[in-house]
C-alpha cells in the first residue's frame, strides 16, 4: 500500500491526521493561497500520450511555473523527460492536479488527504454532470474532501492558473497575460475563450479558476479569497448558478468593500415560475432572485461577455470616481453626441456641469469655434497640446468624476503621442478615464500605448461610457453600509397558529380568512369579518357603514373577482341578497368548492388611493424575496415591480417605492395628493419581516395594499404554506 510511504506530514507534531481535521475547506481565505502559489505540484495521471489531458497539463506546468512539477504514474518511468513517482504520497507535493479515470479519483484524493496535500484540482469529468452514478461519485469525493479539509477545485474543471508564479495547471491551450483581474468560470470552454481573446484586448489576469462542478470550492470561496488578495484588483465571474445565495451575499458584501466584483450570470430564462399560484410567484423567476441577490451582495452584473470585460477593464484601473458627473472631451462632433446620449441613458451617470471657472479657462484655451461646455469639442484640427490643455482644465472641475476622451482619425495628430498624453493625464489627475478611439489602423499606436499603460480604450462611445457606468456603480457599492433592518414588534405566536391551520388539509393556501396575520404584524387592514350566514353578514355591515365590500372566501377560488366573487359598494339593505348571490356564483364556478363564507369589509375610497402589491416568494438559492409594485388585478400585465431579499429595513423599503415606474403616482401626480409613503414603507418592511420569520410561507400576495394620503390598508391576502416547514420555524 502506498499509504505507508513516508509523507511530508511525518514528524509534524500536529500529526498527519485525517479524521480529526476540521472539515470546512472553504472557510479560511488564506488557505486558498496555496492553490495559486504551490511549491511542488504533483500531476496524478501524467503521461506522454499525445492529445491527453495528462500530457497537456504537464506541458502547461512545465512552460512557466517557477516551482517543481512531479509526474505521478505507476506505469511509467518518466513523462516529458521528468522521472515519475508511483503515487501522490511519494511526490512530497503541496498541490495535486488529478487527471486519472473517474473511477480512480476518489482513491487518489483520499491519498492526497493522507499525505497532507491540501490543494487538489480535479480535472477528470464523469461526475455530477453525467447522471446518477456520477452524482454518487461526486458525493463521495465531497465527503473525502470534507474529511481532510481539502481545498478541492472541480471535478470536471479545466484547472487553475496564476500569473505571479507562472502557474498554468490547466489543460487549456494558453496561459493568460499577467494583470490584476482574477477570473472564475463555471464553464471551462469559457476560460480558454477568454484567455485567448484577452491577449488582444489588454486584459491581464492574476488568478483564473475553472470551477467545474463545484463539489467543494465554489464562487463564494473565491470571492472571499480574492477579496483579501492585494494582487487582485477586480474579480470577474462567469456563473451559471450560485449555490448558497445568502452565504454569497454575506461574503461578497465584505469583499466588495475594496475589491469590485462583476459577474455575468447565464441561464436567464426560467420555466419554474409557471407553477406559481400567486402574482408574486408568477413574476419572480429565478432571474429576479439573482438580480436582487447580486444587488444585495454589491456585485455588479453584466448583461454580456463584452460588458463583463469592458467593466473589468474600467474597474482594474483602481481609481473610483468622486462624482457621478462625466465629462466628454472630443475632437469629433458626432461621437461626442453619442457619448453624451449614452451618459444620459446610464442610470447612475449624468453629464457633469462645469463651473464658471472651467468654462472661462476653456474659452481662453480653445479656438472660438470650439465648444467649451460639456461635451467639450476641441475641433478636428486639435493638436495633442490643445487636447491636453482641454483635458487638464476639465479634469480639475470638481463636478467631473470621470472622463470620456474621444478621437477620430485626423491628419494633425500623432496617435502614439496622443495615447501617451491621455495616459499621463489619467495618471496625474487620478480621475478615471475611458478612451474612445473611433478608428482602426490609424489609431493603432494610441491603442497600443493605452493598453500598455492600463487606460481602457474602446471603439464605440457607448462601450466607453459603459466602462464608466461600472465605475459609478462600484462607487455606489463602496459608499454603502448594510444596516440590520429595524426590528418589527409582532405577535408571532398568533401567526404560527394561523399558519398551522393548514395542517391535515388537502390545500395549503390561505386567503382573507387569515387576515389576522396582518394585525399580528402591525399592517393596517379595513374593518371587517368573515361570516357564514346572510343575517350575520348584514349585522357586520351595519357596524361598518352605509356601503360595504363583500368577497367570497374559498381556498378553491384564487382570483375572486375573476368569477364575480367581489362586490364593491353594496348598500346594507342588499347585503343579505349579495351573500346568497356570491355563494351561488362560487357554486356555479365549481360545484364542489369548499366555501368558508363571505367577507364583509369596509369600503375604501380608491379615488385618491393607489392599489399597490406587496408580495413574497421563496427562491431556492436566495431564500425569501419581498416584492413591491403597482397592484390590482392587472399586476402581471403591468409587471411594474421590484424585488429585494427579505427582510428589508426602512431605507431599502423606501428605495423600492422609488424604483418602480409608477413611483410618481405615489408621490402625487397631475394634481393628485401624494399617498402616505411612510405607511407604505412600514407595510413593506413588516411583510418582509413576516416572511423572513416564517419560512413556511413560500408565497404571499398582499394585493392590493391600498395606499391613500391617510395611510395604507391591506384589503386582500393570499399565501401558500409549506406544511413540511411548519415544524422547524422559530
Ligand atoms: P381578488 O384579488 O381575489 O380578485 P380582491 O380582494 O383583491 O380580490 O378585490 C379585487 C379588487 O376589488 C381590488 O383590486 C380592489 O380594486 C377592489 N376592492 C377589494 N376590496 C376593496 C375594498 N375594501 N375597498 C375598495 N375596493 C376594494
Ligand atoms: Mg387581490
Amino acid at each position: 500500500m502506498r499509504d505507508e510511504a513516508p509523507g511530508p506530514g511525518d514528524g509534524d507534531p500536529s500529526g498527519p491526521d485525517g479524521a480529526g481535521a476540521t472539515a470546512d475547506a472553504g472557510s479560511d481565505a488564506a488557505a486558498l493561497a496555496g492553490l495559486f502559489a504551490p511549491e511542488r505540484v504533483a500531476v496524478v495521471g501524467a503521461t506522454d500520450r499525445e492529445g491527453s489531458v495528462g500530457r497537456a497539463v504537464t506541458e502547461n506546468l512545465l512552460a512557466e511555473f517557477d516551482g517543481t512539477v512531479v509526474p505521478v504514474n505507476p506505469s511509467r518511468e518518466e513523462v516529458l523527460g521528468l522521472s515519475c513517482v508511483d503515487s501522490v504520497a511519494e511526490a512530497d507535493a503541496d498541490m495535486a492536479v488529478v487527471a486519472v479515470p473517474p473511477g480512480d479519483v476518489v482513491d487518489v484524493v483520499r491519498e492526497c488527504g493522507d499525505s497532507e496535500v491540501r490543494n487538489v484540482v480535479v480535472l477528470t469529468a464523469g461526475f455530477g454532470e453525467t447522471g446518477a452514478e456520477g452524482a454518487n461519485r461526486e458525493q463521495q469525493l465531497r465527503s473525502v474532501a470534507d474529511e481532510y479539509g481539502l481545498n478541492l477545485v472541480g471535478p470536471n474543471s479545466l484547472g487553475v492558473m496564476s500569473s505571479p508564479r507562472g502557474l498554468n495547471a490547466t489543460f487549456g491551450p494558453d496561459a493568460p497575460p499577467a494583470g490584476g483581474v482574477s477570473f472564475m468560470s463555471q464553464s471551462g470552454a469559457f476560460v480558454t475563450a477568454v484567455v485567448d481573446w484577452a491577449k488582444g484586448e489588454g486584459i491581464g489576469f492574476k488568478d483564473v479558476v475553472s470551477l467545474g462542478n463545484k463539489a467543494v470550492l465554489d464562487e463564494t470561496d473565491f470571492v472571499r479569497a480574492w477579496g483579501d488578495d492585494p494582487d487582485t484588483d477586480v474579480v470577474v465571474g462567469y456563473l451559471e448558478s450560485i449555490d448558497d445565495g445568502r452565504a454569497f451575499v454575506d461574503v461578497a458584501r465584505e469583499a466588495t468593500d475594496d475589491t469590485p466584483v462583476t459577474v455575468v450570470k447565464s441561464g436567464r430564462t426560467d420555466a419554474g415560475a409557471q407553477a406559481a399560484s400567486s402574482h408574486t410567484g408568477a413574476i419572480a423567476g429565478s432571474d429576479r432572485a439573482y438580480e436582487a441577490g447580486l444587488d444585495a451582495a454589491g456585485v455588479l452584473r453584466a448583461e454580456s461577455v463584452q460588458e463583463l470585460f469592458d467593466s473589468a477593464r474600467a474597474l482594474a484601473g483602481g481609481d473610483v470616481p468622486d462624482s457621478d458627473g462625466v465629462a466628454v472631451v472630443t475632437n469629433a462632433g458626432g461621437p461626442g453626441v453619442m457619448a453624451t446620449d449614452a451618459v444620459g441613458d446610464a442610470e447612475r451617470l449624468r453629464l457633469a456641469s462645469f463651473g464658471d471657472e472651467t468654462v472661462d479657462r476653456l474659452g481662453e484655451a480653445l479656438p472660438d469655434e470650439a465648444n467649451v461646455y460639456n461635451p467639450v469639442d476641441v475641433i478636428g484640427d486639435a493638436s495633442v497640446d490643445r487636447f491636453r490643455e482641454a483635458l487638464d482644465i476639465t479634469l480639475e472641475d470638481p463636478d467631473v468624476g470621470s472622463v470620456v476622451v474621444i478621437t477620430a482619425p485626423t491628419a494633425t495628430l500623432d496617435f502614439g503621442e496622443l495615447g501617451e498624453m491621455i495616459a499621463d493625464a489619467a495618471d496625474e489627475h487620478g480621475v478615471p478615464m475611458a478612451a474612445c478611439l473611433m478608428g482602426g489602423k490609424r489609431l493603432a499606436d494610441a491603442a497600443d500605448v493605452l493598453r500598455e499603460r492600463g487606460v481602457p480604450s474602446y471603439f464605440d462611445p457607448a462601450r466607453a461610457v459603459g466602462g464608466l457606468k461600472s465605475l459609478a456603480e462600484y462607487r455606489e457599492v463602496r459608499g454603502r453600509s448594510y444596516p440590520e433592518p429595524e426590528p418589527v414588534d409582532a405577535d408571532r405566536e398568533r401567526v404560527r397558529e394561523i399558519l398551522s391551520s393548514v395542517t391535515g388539509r388537502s390545500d395549503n393556501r390561505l386567503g382573507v380568512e387569515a387576515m389576522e396575520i396582518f394585525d399580528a404584524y402591525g399592517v393596517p387592514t379595513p374593518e371587517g369579518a368573515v361570516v357564514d350566514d346572510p343575517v350575520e353578514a348584514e349585522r357586520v355591515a351595519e357596524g361598518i357603514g352605509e356601503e360595504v365590500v363583500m368577497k367570497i372566501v374559498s381556498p378553491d377560488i384564487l382570483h375572486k373577482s375573476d368569477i364575480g366573487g367581489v362586490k364593491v359598494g353594496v348598500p346594507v339593505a342588499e347585503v343579505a341578497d349579495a351573500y346568497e348571490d356570491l355563494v351561488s356564483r362560487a357554486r356555479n364556478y365549481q360545484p364542489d368548492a369548499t366555501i368558508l363564507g363571505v367577507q364583509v369589509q369596509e369600503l375604501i375610497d380608491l379615488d385618491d388611493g393607489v392599489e399597490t402589491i406587496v408580495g413574497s416568494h421563496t427562491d431556492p438559492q436566495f431564500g425569501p424575496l419581498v416584492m413591491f409594485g403597482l397592484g390590482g388585478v392587472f399586476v402581471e400585465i403591468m409587471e411594474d415591480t421590484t424585488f429585494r431579499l427579505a427582510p428589508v429595513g426602512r431605507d431599502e423599503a423606501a428605495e423600492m417605492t422609488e424604483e418602480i415606474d409608477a413611483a410618481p403616482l405615489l408621490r402625487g401626480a397631475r394634481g393628485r395628493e401624494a399617498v402616505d409613503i411612510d405607511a407604505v414603507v412600514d407595510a413593506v418592511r413588516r411583510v418582509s419581516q413576516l416572511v423572513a420569520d416564517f419560512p413556511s410561507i413560500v408565497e404571499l400576495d398582499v394585493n392590493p395594499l391600498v395606499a391613500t394620503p391617510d395611510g395604507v390598508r391591506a384589503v386582500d391576502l393570499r399565501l401558500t404554506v409549506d406544511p413540511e416547514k411548519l415544524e422547524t420555524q422559530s
Side-chain angles (χ1 to χ4, degrees):
M1 286 298 288
R2 303 286 169 212
D3 299 18
E4 272 134 42
D10 289 2
D12 176 348
S14 67
D17 166 6
T22 44
D24 194 358
S27 66
D28 184 0
L32 287 199
L35 206 51
F36 296 110
E39 296 300 328
R40 277 172 80 84
V41 179
V43 183
V44 191
T47 166
D48 284 316
R49 190 163 49 80
E50 288 287 351
S52 68
V53 168
R55 178 181 175 119
V57 67
T58 312
E59 276 176 341
N60 281 338
L61 278 165
L62 290 174
E64 301 281 342
F65 182 42
D66 68 5
T68 310
V69 181
V70 188
V72 178
N73 190 334
S75 53
R76 283 175 192 262
E77 287 295 311
E78 58 176 45
V79 167
L80 299 169
L82 296 176
S83 58
C84 271
V85 297
D86 286 352
S87 75
V88 72
E90 289 167 50
D92 191 18
D94 54 349
M95 172 159 149
V97 179
V98 181
V100 299
D104 298 338
V105 168
V106 173
D107 287 341
V108 167
V109 170
R110 178 172 290 286
E111 220 177 316
C112 289
D114 281 335
S115 46
E116 297 282 298
V117 181
R118 283 277 160 270
N119 305 297
V120 181
V121 181
V122 180
L123 309 182
T124 310
F127 287 79
E129 80 281 9
T130 57
E133 195 193 335
N136 184 31
R137 202 159 28 228
E138 189 160 314
Q139 188 46 50
Q140 287 172 34
L141 183 64
R142 184 179 294 118
S143 59
V144 170
D146 283 353
E147 183 185 330
Y148 289 93
L150 303 181
N151 296 323
L152 185 139
V153 176
N156 190 21
S157 162
L158 183 85
V160 302
M161 309 187 214
S162 184
S163 50
R165 300 284 310 281
L167 178 78
N168 180 0
T170 74
F171 60 99
D174 292 298
V181 176
S182 285
F183 175 45
M184 59 182 162
S185 171
Q186 216 168 322
S187 149
F190 206 82
V191 170
T192 57
V194 162
V195 163
D196 190 40
W197 169 81
K199 291 194 169 140
E201 293 285 312
I203 295 172
F205 293 86
K206 157 72 174 27
D207 299 331
V208 176
V209 56
S210 155
L211 295 168
N213 294 2
K214 308 194 289 193
V216 178
L217 295 177
D218 64 15
E219 55 285 340
T220 302
D221 299 297
F222 289 101
V223 167
R224 184 192 287 112
W226 288 330
D228 287 343
D229 172 16
D231 298 326
T232 292
D233 299 326
V234 47
V235 175
V236 173
Y238 166 83
L239 299 177
E240 288 162 5
S241 64
I242 291 176
D243 296 329
D244 180 346
R246 294 287 170 138
F248 180 81
V249 169
D250 287 346
V251 165
R253 280 183 173 183
E254 214 173 305
T256 52
D257 208 25
D258 46 38
T259 308
V261 179
T262 177
V263 307
V264 69
K265 158 77 179 69
S266 73
R268 305 190 54 155
T269 47
D270 152 65
Q274 276 144 23
S277 65
S278 67
H279 293 293
T280 313
I283 295 171
S286 79
D287 196 60
R288 300 298 292 264
Y290 276 104
E291 198 175 291
L294 292 174
D295 183 59
V299 168
L300 312 188
R301 183 172 187 179
E303 300 296 331
S304 65
V305 179
Q306 172 142 310
E307 220 182 278
L308 183 69
F309 284 93
D310 281 354
S311 156
R313 223 165 354 161
L315 291 162
D319 289 325
V320 180
D322 295 330
S323 139
D324 293 335
V326 178
V328 177
V329 180
T330 179
N331 67 1
V337 174
M338 283 190 74
T340 305
D341 285 348
V343 170
D345 289 344
E347 210 176 300
R348 286 201 188 279
L349 296 178
R350 60 186 170 77
L351 215 54
S353 61
F354 293 159
D356 292 344
E357 198 196 327
T358 307
V359 174
D360 290 348
R361 287 176 64 199
L362 285 170
E364 275 164 40
L366 298 177
D368 289 348
E369 317 86 80
N371 186 23
V372 297
Y373 297 93
N374 202 5
V376 179
D377 189 343
V378 296
I379 312 287
D381 67 350
S383 62
V384 170
D385 287 344
R386 189 199 292 169
F387 233 126
R388 171 77 206 232
E389 222 180 330
L391 265 181
D392 281 338
I393 297 168
T394 306
L395 285 162
E396 278 163 24
D397 188 281
D399 196 43
V400 172
S402 58
V403 180
V404 189
V405 197
I406 304 171
T407 184
T410 68
T412 52
L413 285 170
D414 174 326
F415 287 96
E417 220 179 288
L418 183 78
E420 297 289 358
M421 182 281 285
I422 293 171
D424 288 346
D427 285 351
E428 282 166 36
H429 293 272
V431 172
M433 255 198 242
C436 170
L437 304 177
M438 290 212 75
K441 268 209 176 106
R442 276 209 159 254
L443 305 183
D445 288 350
D448 289 345
V449 170
L450 292 174
R451 186 179 309 125
E452 222 160 88
R453 299 195 47 187
V455 177
S457 81
Y458 312 84
F459 173 81
D460 185 340
R463 276 178 66 192
V465 172
L468 299 183
K469 187 182 103 191
S470 301
L471 289 171
E473 284 168 0
Y474 183 55
R475 174 175 127 83
E476 183 272 323
V477 167
R478 275 252 295 242
R480 283 186 192 179
S481 56
Y482 296 101
E484 283 289 309
E486 300 84 356
V488 168
D489 48 309
D491 184 351
R492 293 179 168 79
E493 195 43 52
R494 185 70 195 112
V495 174
R496 195 170 294 120
E497 272 168 37
I498 295 169
L499 296 178
S500 304
S501 68
V502 302
T503 312
R505 274 178 30 182
S506 61
D507 196 290
N508 301 327
R509 286 194 286 259
L510 293 173
V512 288
E513 72 277 14
M515 296 257 299
E516 225 189 298
I517 283 179
F518 291 132
D519 304 335
Y521 266 74
V523 177
T525 53
E527 244 184 279
V530 176
V531 297
D532 58 7
D533 77 85
V535 180
E536 187 65 6
E538 210 171 74
R539 200 190 57 76
V540 172
E542 276 163 2
I544 292 176
E546 284 165 24
E547 286 184 343
V548 293
V549 176
M550 297 175 68
K551 304 175 190 180
I552 193 73
V553 183
S554 162
D556 298 313
I557 297 168
L558 276 181
H559 299 288
K560 299 178 284 296
S561 37
D562 285 358
I563 64 138
V566 177
K567 287 174 184 277
V568 178
V570 184
V572 173
E574 292 168 26
V575 163
D577 287 347
Y579 183 102
E580 304 292 4
D581 187 41
L582 284 170
V583 172
S584 75
R585 283 184 192 197
R587 289 258 173 270
N588 282 341
Y589 167 70
Q590 190 183 324
D592 60 347
T594 304
I595 295 172
L596 300 176
V598 166
Q599 184 186 41
V600 181
Q601 197 177 57
E602 177 191 347
L603 176 67
I604 311 286
D605 183 5
L606 290 178
D607 281 351
D608 57 353
V610 179
E611 293 193 46
T612 68
I613 180 169
V614 183
S616 169
H617 167 80
T618 303
D619 179 77
Q621 274 75 43
F622 287 96
L625 304 172
V626 60
M627 179 182 91
F628 175 75
L630 194 60
V633 289
F634 300 118
V635 178
E636 282 114 321
I637 298 171
M638 310 298 289
E639 236 191 78
D640 184 12
T641 57
T642 181
F643 285 81
R644 287 287 190 288
L645 305 190
V648 293
R650 281 202 175 83
D651 288 350
E652 259 188 295
E655 271 172 32
M656 295 175 80
T657 68
E658 286 157 19
E659 252 166 45
I660 60 169
D661 293 339
L665 221 57
L666 299 174
R667 282 163 176 81
R670 305 230 154 206
R672 281 166 58 109
E673 213 180 321
V675 307
D676 183 349
I677 284 285
D678 290 346
V680 177
V681 166
D682 199 51
V684 171
R685 79 175 183 96
R686 285 173 184 274
V687 171
S688 80
Q689 188 65 56
L690 165 70
V691 296
D693 289 346
F694 292 93
S696 66
I697 303 177
V698 289
E699 274 181 87
L700 172 143
D701 276 346
V702 183
N703 183 28
L705 175 85
V706 177
T708 66
D710 308 319
V712 294
R713 243 75 64 81
V715 310
D716 189 20
L717 169 66
R718 174 161 50 248
L719 63 86
T720 305
V721 177
D722 178 350
E724 289 182 6
K725 291 186 185 160
L726 274 173
E727 307 292 314
T728 52
Q729 64 199 11
S730 53

